[in-house]
Amino acid sequence: MAIATTASSNTSSNTTDFGPVIDFRLRPFSEHYDQGFSETMVRRFFSGFGYDVTDAAVDRSYDSLTRELDEAHVVKAVLPGRKVYDTTNDELFDYAARDPQRFLVFPFLDVARPEEALDVIERDVVARGAKGVSIEPLGGNDVRFDDERVFPIYERLQELGLPVLATVSAFASDLIDPTIPRQIHRVVTAFPNLTFVAAHAGWPWVAEMVPIAFMNTNLYLLADFEGTRGNASPELRQAAERMIPDQVLFGSSFPLGPIAQGVQNIRDWHLDPASERKVLHDTAAKILGL
């Protein structure tokens, strides 16, 4: 089967004159991501959102990924660990070492093992200079976002001034739990100085997450997957334009979505230039302390 070299025939021409981009959620084909993301799964997600499959998503090579990142003008990319794919922090640091100026590892903290997670903060986050962490409540465990067993982890991250990137969506929990926005609300109000980034913007509860973010400026909504092109896109576009212009940021969710076309989807929101820069770069840069 032929593989499209770009996600859209006009993507390259549309991105040429624009500024740098930060991709806040990219899963490279490190050892366990390579094993976890089957070709069938990758193609299912691309087709589900109406994308042409890109070289990088199929041949899985570092060179193809680099070309796609360059095409999209991505200068920094956050590589989060995921328990559901059994990634190790070491494998992500090894991958990031190929281009440490571009790749930023967010080590995974297992909230089901809070004491161990506190050790990981010191060993893999503080000692290695990581800019943030990744967590996955409800991802194969029974730990809610507002489970008090996790509070010491939040407290330590708040002390360190490090952001937490949480996988928050119906894709990431065994059961669709409509109490998830309430759980997040409790966390961001209990820890007002903790930067909390909700991957997928909490889809399918984006309508609930936007007002929570409006009332809590430490909650950020990541426009990835359904956030850039799916049914969450109109709500996030309006939020970025009006209610929370400083709290929406971009992630590609590669390899389950194309990088360059994801960027183009944000540009197709037709925000004013300053608001678009915030979504594609400035808000992420602020969170990362760049």
Side-chain angles (χ1 to χ4, degrees):
M1 180 180 292
I3 301 170
T5 55
T6 62
S8 173
S9 60
N10 65 355
T11 296
S12 181
S13 61
N14 285 349
T15 60
T16 303
D17 298 327
F18 292 94
V21 173
I22 296 176
D23 184 340
F24 214 86
R25 192 166 186 268
L26 181 146
R27 284 77 56 88
F29 286 116
S30 61
E31 177 186 358
H32 288 91
Y33 277 139
D34 190 26
Q35 295 170 10
F37 290 118
S38 68
E39 182 171 344
T40 298
M41 180 182 184
V42 169
R43 290 187 179 278
R44 168 62 176 154
F45 273 87
F46 269 74
S47 65
F49 288 94
Y51 296 127
D52 294 329
V53 178
T54 62
D55 287 343
V58 175
D59 73 25
R60 301 176 178 236
S61 72
Y62 176 77
D63 288 345
S64 289
L65 177 61
T66 296
R67 284 194 296 272
E68 191 162 336
L69 289 167
D70 289 344
E71 178 186 357
H73 291 189
V74 172
V75 295
K76 302 284 185 185
V78 170
L79 314 184
R82 293 287 308 278
K83 177 66 173 179
V84 71
Y85 298 109
D86 292 323
T87 61
T88 68
N89 294 333
D90 283 342
E91 77 183 69
L92 292 178
F93 278 113
D94 287 346
Y95 196 98
R98 298 183 181 194
D99 189 349
Q101 294 303 309
R102 174 176 267 169
F103 296 127
L104 304 172
V105 176
F106 270 33
F108 178 75
L109 304 181
D110 189 348
V111 294
R113 302 172 182 268
E115 300 227 346
E116 178 183 306
L118 289 170
D119 290 338
V120 171
I121 290 174
E122 305 308 320
R123 184 185 71 238
D124 287 347
V125 182
V126 176
R128 301 177 86 161
K131 297 287 189 180
V133 303
S134 171
I135 65 170
E136 202 170 41
L138 302 176
N141 58 57
D142 65 350
V143 182
R144 290 163 50 104
F145 290 92
D146 62 349
D147 192 312
E148 294 192 3
R149 291 174 291 178
V150 190
F151 278 24
I153 298 171
Y154 293 143
E155 183 66 41
R156 181 61 177 138
L157 294 171
Q158 182 173 248
E159 290 172 358
L160 293 168
L162 291 171
V164 55
L165 173 59
T167 303
V168 189
S169 84
F171 287 139
S173 56
D174 292 333
L175 296 173
I176 294 181
D177 183 350
T179 73
I180 284 178
R182 184 183 302 171
Q183 296 174 34
I184 303 268
H185 191 194
R186 185 181 177 210
V187 171
V188 297
T189 54
F191 299 93
N193 296 315
L194 173 69
T195 297
F196 192 102
V197 182
H200 311 304
W203 178 88
W205 305 286
V206 178
E208 291 83 359
M209 294 289 283
V210 169
I212 296 171
F214 181 75
M215 298 301 293
N216 297 272
T217 57
N218 57 323
L219 174 60
Y220 294 80
L221 304 184
L222 189 62
D224 61 332
F225 264 155
E226 50 288 306
T228 67
R229 190 167 185 162
N231 57 10
S233 179
E235 291 172 321
L236 284 175
R237 186 217 174 276
Q238 185 179 62
E241 180 180 52
R242 193 173 308 155
M243 286 189 72
I244 50 171
D246 299 308
Q247 292 163 259
V248 177
L249 63 160
F250 165 73
S252 67
S253 275
F254 180 88
L256 301 185
I259 301 166
Q261 184 59 50
V263 172
Q264 186 60 44
N265 290 344
I266 298 295
R267 291 182 172 136
D268 288 343
W269 285 2
H270 300 297
L271 298 170
D272 66 80
S275 296
E276 181 177 284
R277 281 195 302 272
K278 288 178 181 179
V279 175
L280 289 175
H281 180 273
D282 293 356
T283 295
K286 180 183 73 172
I287 292 172
L288 294 169
L290 302 177

